[in-house]
Short mmCIF file of all heavy atoms in Angstrom, two decimals:
data_model
loop_
_atom_site.label_atom_id
_atom_site.label_comp_id
_atom_site.label_asym_id
_atom_site.label_seq_id
_atom_site.Cartn_x
_atom_site.Cartn_y
_atom_site.Cartn_z
N TYR A 1 0.86 -1.20 -0.02
CA TYR A 1 0.03 -0.02 -0.01
C TYR A 1 0.89 1.27 0.01
O TYR A 1 1.89 1.31 0.68
CB TYR A 1 -0.92 0.02 1.25
CG TYR A 1 -1.68 1.30 1.36
CD1 TYR A 1 -2.81 1.53 0.56
CD2 TYR A 1 -1.24 2.35 2.20
CE1 TYR A 1 -3.52 2.74 0.65
CE2 TYR A 1 -1.91 3.53 2.26
CZ TYR A 1 -3.05 3.73 1.48
OH TYR A 1 -3.73 4.96 1.55
N TYR A 2 0.47 2.26 -0.75
CA TYR A 2 1.11 3.57 -0.75
C TYR A 2 0.06 4.63 -0.56
O TYR A 2 -1.09 4.51 -1.06
CB TYR A 2 1.87 3.86 -2.10
CG TYR A 2 2.97 2.92 -2.40
CD1 TYR A 2 2.94 2.18 -3.60
CD2 TYR A 2 4.10 2.82 -1.60
CE1 TYR A 2 3.94 1.32 -3.91
CE2 TYR A 2 5.09 1.96 -1.93
CZ TYR A 2 5.05 1.21 -3.09
OH TYR A 2 6.08 0.38 -3.43
N SER A 3 0.40 5.71 0.12
CA SER A 3 -0.49 6.86 0.30
C SER A 3 -0.02 8.01 -0.49
O SER A 3 1.20 8.33 -0.47
CB SER A 3 -0.57 7.20 1.79
OG SER A 3 -1.20 8.47 1.98
N MET A 4 -0.92 8.75 -1.11
CA MET A 4 -0.59 10.08 -1.76
C MET A 4 -0.08 11.06 -0.71
O MET A 4 0.65 11.94 -1.09
CB MET A 4 -1.85 10.64 -2.45
CG MET A 4 -2.35 9.87 -3.60
SD MET A 4 -4.04 10.32 -4.08
CE MET A 4 -3.86 12.11 -4.32
N LYS A 5 -0.49 10.87 0.56
CA LYS A 5 -0.17 11.80 1.57
C LYS A 5 1.12 11.48 2.32
O LYS A 5 1.50 12.20 3.29
CB LYS A 5 -1.32 11.89 2.61
CG LYS A 5 -2.70 12.13 2.01
CD LYS A 5 -2.81 13.51 1.41
CE LYS A 5 -4.24 13.77 0.96
NZ LYS A 5 -4.41 15.14 0.37
N ASP A 6 1.76 10.44 1.90
CA ASP A 6 3.05 10.06 2.58
C ASP A 6 4.02 11.23 2.50
O ASP A 6 4.30 11.76 1.43
CB ASP A 6 3.67 8.84 1.86
CG ASP A 6 4.80 8.19 2.59
OD1 ASP A 6 5.71 9.00 3.07
OD2 ASP A 6 4.86 6.99 2.74
N PRO A 7 4.55 11.67 3.68
CA PRO A 7 5.42 12.85 3.63
C PRO A 7 6.71 12.66 2.84
O PRO A 7 7.35 13.62 2.46
CB PRO A 7 5.74 13.06 5.12
CG PRO A 7 5.40 11.78 5.84
CD PRO A 7 4.29 11.16 5.02
N LEU A 8 7.02 11.40 2.48
CA LEU A 8 8.22 11.17 1.66
C LEU A 8 8.05 11.81 0.25
O LEU A 8 9.02 12.19 -0.32
CB LEU A 8 8.52 9.66 1.57
CG LEU A 8 9.86 9.25 1.11
CD1 LEU A 8 10.96 9.75 2.07
CD2 LEU A 8 9.96 7.71 0.97
N TRP A 9 6.82 11.79 -0.25
CA TRP A 9 6.55 12.28 -1.60
C TRP A 9 5.33 13.15 -1.72
O TRP A 9 4.95 13.57 -2.84
CB TRP A 9 6.53 11.19 -2.60
CG TRP A 9 5.51 10.04 -2.21
CD1 TRP A 9 4.13 10.14 -2.11
CD2 TRP A 9 5.85 8.75 -1.87
NE1 TRP A 9 3.63 8.95 -1.72
CE2 TRP A 9 4.67 8.02 -1.56
CE3 TRP A 9 7.08 7.98 -1.79
CZ2 TRP A 9 4.61 6.74 -1.21
CZ3 TRP A 9 7.06 6.69 -1.40
CH2 TRP A 9 5.82 6.04 -1.14
N ALA A 10 4.67 13.48 -0.65
CA ALA A 10 3.37 14.22 -0.73
C ALA A 10 3.56 15.52 -1.53
O ALA A 10 2.66 15.93 -2.31
CB ALA A 10 2.86 14.53 0.68
N ASP A 11 4.66 16.24 -1.34
CA ASP A 11 4.86 17.54 -1.99
C ASP A 11 5.69 17.43 -3.24
O ASP A 11 6.08 18.45 -3.81
CB ASP A 11 5.55 18.47 -0.99
CG ASP A 11 4.68 18.78 0.18
OD1 ASP A 11 3.47 18.81 0.03
OD2 ASP A 11 5.22 19.03 1.31
N TYR A 12 5.88 16.25 -3.75
CA TYR A 12 6.63 16.05 -5.03
C TYR A 12 5.76 16.44 -6.19
O TYR A 12 4.59 16.06 -6.26
CB TYR A 12 7.13 14.60 -5.11
CG TYR A 12 8.08 14.34 -6.28
CD1 TYR A 12 9.37 14.81 -6.18
CD2 TYR A 12 7.68 13.70 -7.41
CE1 TYR A 12 10.32 14.59 -7.19
CE2 TYR A 12 8.60 13.46 -8.45
CZ TYR A 12 9.90 13.94 -8.32
OH TYR A 12 10.74 13.74 -9.33
N PRO A 13 6.26 17.21 -7.11
CA PRO A 13 5.42 17.70 -8.22
C PRO A 13 4.88 16.61 -9.12
O PRO A 13 5.55 15.67 -9.51
CB PRO A 13 6.40 18.59 -9.01
CG PRO A 13 7.44 18.98 -8.05
CD PRO A 13 7.63 17.80 -7.18
N TYR A 14 3.56 16.79 -9.41
CA TYR A 14 2.89 16.01 -10.46
C TYR A 14 2.08 17.06 -11.19
O TYR A 14 0.86 17.15 -11.06
CB TYR A 14 2.01 14.87 -9.92
CG TYR A 14 1.45 13.99 -10.99
CD1 TYR A 14 2.21 13.55 -12.05
CD2 TYR A 14 0.12 13.58 -10.95
CE1 TYR A 14 1.69 12.74 -13.04
CE2 TYR A 14 -0.39 12.76 -11.90
CZ TYR A 14 0.38 12.33 -12.98
OH TYR A 14 -0.13 11.55 -13.97
N ASP A 15 2.76 17.90 -11.93
CA ASP A 15 2.28 19.22 -12.34
C ASP A 15 1.57 19.18 -13.68
O ASP A 15 2.10 18.51 -14.61
CB ASP A 15 3.39 20.22 -12.30
CG ASP A 15 2.93 21.64 -12.44
OD1 ASP A 15 1.81 21.93 -11.95
OD2 ASP A 15 3.66 22.49 -12.99
N ALA A 16 0.48 19.85 -13.79
CA ALA A 16 -0.19 20.07 -15.11
C ALA A 16 0.44 21.36 -15.74
O ALA A 16 0.50 22.42 -15.10
CB ALA A 16 -1.67 20.25 -14.91
N ALA A 17 0.91 21.20 -16.99
CA ALA A 17 1.70 22.30 -17.61
C ALA A 17 0.93 23.61 -17.75
O ALA A 17 1.54 24.65 -17.71
CB ALA A 17 2.17 21.82 -18.98
N ASN A 18 -0.39 23.52 -17.94
CA ASN A 18 -1.12 24.78 -18.29
C ASN A 18 -1.85 25.42 -17.14
O ASN A 18 -2.75 26.25 -17.34
CB ASN A 18 -2.14 24.45 -19.40
CG ASN A 18 -1.45 24.00 -20.69
OD1 ASN A 18 -0.29 24.30 -20.92
ND2 ASN A 18 -2.17 23.26 -21.53
N THR A 19 -1.48 25.06 -15.90
CA THR A 19 -2.13 25.66 -14.73
C THR A 19 -1.12 26.56 -14.04
O THR A 19 0.08 26.31 -14.05
CB THR A 19 -2.63 24.60 -13.76
OG1 THR A 19 -1.51 23.76 -13.34
CG2 THR A 19 -3.70 23.71 -14.42
N PRO A 20 -1.61 27.63 -13.36
CA PRO A 20 -0.67 28.52 -12.71
C PRO A 20 -0.07 27.96 -11.44
O PRO A 20 1.08 28.33 -11.08
CB PRO A 20 -1.57 29.77 -12.37
CG PRO A 20 -2.97 29.20 -12.29
CD PRO A 20 -3.01 28.08 -13.33
N GLU A 21 -0.78 27.04 -10.73
CA GLU A 21 -0.22 26.46 -9.55
C GLU A 21 0.58 25.19 -9.92
O GLU A 21 0.51 24.67 -11.02
CB GLU A 21 -1.38 26.10 -8.58
CG GLU A 21 -2.29 25.02 -9.05
CD GLU A 21 -3.43 25.50 -9.89
OE1 GLU A 21 -3.42 26.69 -10.28
OE2 GLU A 21 -4.31 24.72 -10.22
N ILE A 22 1.39 24.73 -8.92
CA ILE A 22 2.13 23.52 -9.12
C ILE A 22 1.39 22.43 -8.34
O ILE A 22 1.40 22.39 -7.13
CB ILE A 22 3.59 23.68 -8.60
CG1 ILE A 22 4.30 24.71 -9.43
CG2 ILE A 22 4.28 22.32 -8.66
CD1 ILE A 22 5.74 25.00 -8.95
N GLU A 23 0.77 21.46 -9.05
CA GLU A 23 0.14 20.38 -8.42
C GLU A 23 1.14 19.32 -7.99
O GLU A 23 2.21 19.21 -8.57
CB GLU A 23 -0.89 19.71 -9.40
CG GLU A 23 -2.10 20.56 -9.74
CD GLU A 23 -1.81 21.40 -11.04
OE1 GLU A 23 -0.67 21.35 -11.52
OE2 GLU A 23 -2.76 22.06 -11.42
N VAL A 24 0.80 18.64 -6.86
CA VAL A 24 1.74 17.68 -6.29
C VAL A 24 1.03 16.31 -6.11
O VAL A 24 -0.18 16.23 -6.32
CB VAL A 24 2.24 18.20 -4.91
CG1 VAL A 24 3.10 19.46 -5.10
CG2 VAL A 24 1.12 18.47 -3.97
N ILE A 25 1.79 15.32 -5.75
CA ILE A 25 1.24 13.98 -5.64
C ILE A 25 0.07 13.96 -4.63
O ILE A 25 -0.92 13.26 -4.82
CB ILE A 25 2.36 13.00 -5.22
CG1 ILE A 25 3.22 12.72 -6.46
CG2 ILE A 25 1.77 11.66 -4.77
CD1 ILE A 25 4.36 11.78 -6.25
N SER A 26 0.18 14.70 -3.53
CA SER A 26 -0.83 14.58 -2.47
C SER A 26 -2.21 15.11 -2.96
O SER A 26 -3.24 14.70 -2.38
CB SER A 26 -0.40 15.39 -1.22
OG SER A 26 -0.34 16.78 -1.52
N ASN A 27 -2.26 15.93 -4.00
CA ASN A 27 -3.56 16.38 -4.46
C ASN A 27 -3.91 16.01 -5.86
O ASN A 27 -5.00 16.24 -6.32
CB ASN A 27 -3.68 17.93 -4.29
CG ASN A 27 -2.67 18.69 -5.14
OD1 ASN A 27 -2.19 18.23 -6.16
ND2 ASN A 27 -2.31 19.90 -4.69
N SER A 28 -3.03 15.30 -6.58
CA SER A 28 -3.33 14.93 -7.96
C SER A 28 -2.68 13.62 -8.40
O SER A 28 -2.85 13.23 -9.58
CB SER A 28 -2.86 16.01 -8.92
OG SER A 28 -1.46 16.20 -8.91
N GLY A 29 -2.04 12.89 -7.48
CA GLY A 29 -1.32 11.73 -7.93
C GLY A 29 -2.03 10.38 -7.64
O GLY A 29 -1.33 9.33 -7.45
N CYS A 30 -3.36 10.35 -7.64
CA CYS A 30 -4.05 9.12 -7.36
C CYS A 30 -3.78 8.02 -8.41
O CYS A 30 -3.66 6.85 -8.09
CB CYS A 30 -5.54 9.32 -7.15
SG CYS A 30 -6.37 10.11 -8.57
N GLY A 31 -3.61 8.43 -9.68
CA GLY A 31 -3.33 7.46 -10.75
C GLY A 31 -2.01 6.76 -10.60
O GLY A 31 -1.93 5.57 -10.48
N PRO A 32 -0.90 7.52 -10.56
CA PRO A 32 0.40 6.92 -10.37
C PRO A 32 0.50 6.17 -9.04
O PRO A 32 1.13 5.06 -8.96
CB PRO A 32 1.35 8.11 -10.39
CG PRO A 32 0.69 9.12 -11.19
CD PRO A 32 -0.80 8.98 -10.89
N THR A 33 -0.15 6.65 -7.98
CA THR A 33 -0.09 5.96 -6.70
C THR A 33 -0.82 4.64 -6.72
O THR A 33 -0.32 3.64 -6.22
CB THR A 33 -0.64 6.84 -5.57
OG1 THR A 33 0.07 8.09 -5.54
CG2 THR A 33 -0.43 6.21 -4.17
N SER A 34 -2.01 4.62 -7.33
CA SER A 34 -2.73 3.35 -7.44
C SER A 34 -1.96 2.34 -8.36
O SER A 34 -1.88 1.16 -7.98
CB SER A 34 -4.12 3.63 -8.04
OG SER A 34 -4.92 4.37 -7.12
N MET A 35 -1.41 2.82 -9.39
CA MET A 35 -0.60 1.97 -10.28
C MET A 35 0.62 1.43 -9.57
O MET A 35 1.01 0.29 -9.78
CB MET A 35 -0.24 2.71 -11.55
CG MET A 35 0.36 1.78 -12.66
SD MET A 35 -0.83 0.53 -13.17
CE MET A 35 0.10 -0.31 -14.47
N ALA A 36 1.25 2.28 -8.75
CA ALA A 36 2.41 1.87 -8.01
C ALA A 36 2.09 0.70 -7.04
O ALA A 36 2.81 -0.28 -6.87
CB ALA A 36 3.00 3.00 -7.23
N MET A 37 0.88 0.76 -6.44
CA MET A 37 0.44 -0.34 -5.57
C MET A 37 0.26 -1.63 -6.38
O MET A 37 0.73 -2.69 -6.00
CB MET A 37 -0.91 -0.01 -4.95
CG MET A 37 -0.90 1.01 -3.85
SD MET A 37 -2.49 1.04 -3.03
CE MET A 37 -3.03 2.77 -3.34
N ALA A 38 -0.37 -1.50 -7.58
CA ALA A 38 -0.64 -2.70 -8.40
C ALA A 38 0.69 -3.29 -8.86
O ALA A 38 0.89 -4.52 -8.78
CB ALA A 38 -1.49 -2.30 -9.57
N VAL A 39 1.61 -2.52 -9.37
CA VAL A 39 2.84 -3.02 -9.93
C VAL A 39 3.72 -3.58 -8.81
O VAL A 39 4.33 -4.68 -8.97
CB VAL A 39 3.58 -1.92 -10.72
CG1 VAL A 39 4.95 -2.43 -11.20
CG2 VAL A 39 2.76 -1.50 -11.93
N SER A 40 3.83 -2.88 -7.71
CA SER A 40 4.66 -3.35 -6.61
C SER A 40 4.19 -4.68 -6.07
O SER A 40 4.98 -5.56 -5.72
CB SER A 40 4.72 -2.31 -5.49
OG SER A 40 5.26 -1.11 -5.89
N THR A 41 2.87 -4.81 -5.93
CA THR A 41 2.28 -6.06 -5.46
C THR A 41 2.48 -7.20 -6.46
O THR A 41 2.87 -8.32 -6.05
CB THR A 41 0.79 -5.87 -5.19
OG1 THR A 41 0.64 -4.86 -4.17
CG2 THR A 41 0.14 -7.18 -4.70
N ALA A 42 2.30 -6.92 -7.73
CA ALA A 42 2.44 -7.96 -8.78
C ALA A 42 3.88 -8.47 -8.86
O ALA A 42 4.15 -9.65 -9.09
CB ALA A 42 1.99 -7.40 -10.14
N LEU A 43 4.83 -7.52 -8.75
CA LEU A 43 6.27 -7.89 -8.97
C LEU A 43 7.03 -8.13 -7.71
O LEU A 43 8.17 -8.50 -7.75
CB LEU A 43 6.92 -6.81 -9.78
CG LEU A 43 6.38 -6.46 -11.13
CD1 LEU A 43 7.18 -5.34 -11.83
CD2 LEU A 43 6.35 -7.71 -12.06
N ASN A 44 6.39 -7.84 -6.54
CA ASN A 44 7.09 -7.91 -5.22
C ASN A 44 8.36 -7.00 -5.29
O ASN A 44 9.41 -7.40 -4.85
CB ASN A 44 7.49 -9.39 -4.91
CG ASN A 44 7.86 -9.51 -3.44
OD1 ASN A 44 7.36 -8.81 -2.57
ND2 ASN A 44 8.82 -10.44 -3.17
N ARG A 45 8.17 -5.85 -5.86
CA ARG A 45 9.24 -4.89 -6.01
C ARG A 45 8.67 -3.47 -5.76
O ARG A 45 7.56 -3.18 -6.21
CB ARG A 45 9.80 -4.96 -7.40
CG ARG A 45 11.03 -4.16 -7.68
CD ARG A 45 11.76 -4.59 -8.93
NE ARG A 45 11.39 -3.82 -10.10
CZ ARG A 45 11.04 -4.36 -11.25
NH1 ARG A 45 10.97 -5.69 -11.41
NH2 ARG A 45 10.73 -3.64 -12.30
N ALA A 46 9.41 -2.64 -5.07
CA ALA A 46 8.93 -1.34 -4.65
C ALA A 46 9.02 -0.33 -5.76
O ALA A 46 10.04 0.36 -5.91
CB ALA A 46 9.72 -0.84 -3.40
#
C-alpha cells in the first residue's frame, strides 16, 4: 500500500503544464499511486 499523503513524496510535483499552480502527488497523484500499488504487489518490487 502507498499513500498520496506520505510525507516522503506528498509535496513532490505532479504538475499540469497549463495551470498557474504547481500540483503535487498529495492532491493529484491518485493514478500513479494506485498503479504503483498494483505493480509493486504484482512484482514484489517497490
Side-chain angles (χ1 to χ4, degrees):
Y1 174 79
Y2 299 118
S3 168
M4 293 164 55
K5 307 293 186 179
D6 191 314
L8 197 63
W9 50 66
D11 294 329
Y12 190 73
Y14 186 45
D15 193 30
N18 297 336
T19 59
E21 67 275 9
I22 297 177
E23 294 90 357
V24 295
I25 287 179
S26 65
N27 62 28
S28 63
C30 57
T33 304
S34 295
M35 190 62 177
M37 287 190 242
V39 175
S40 296
T41 299
L43 300 181
N44 194 33
R45 187 164 93 229

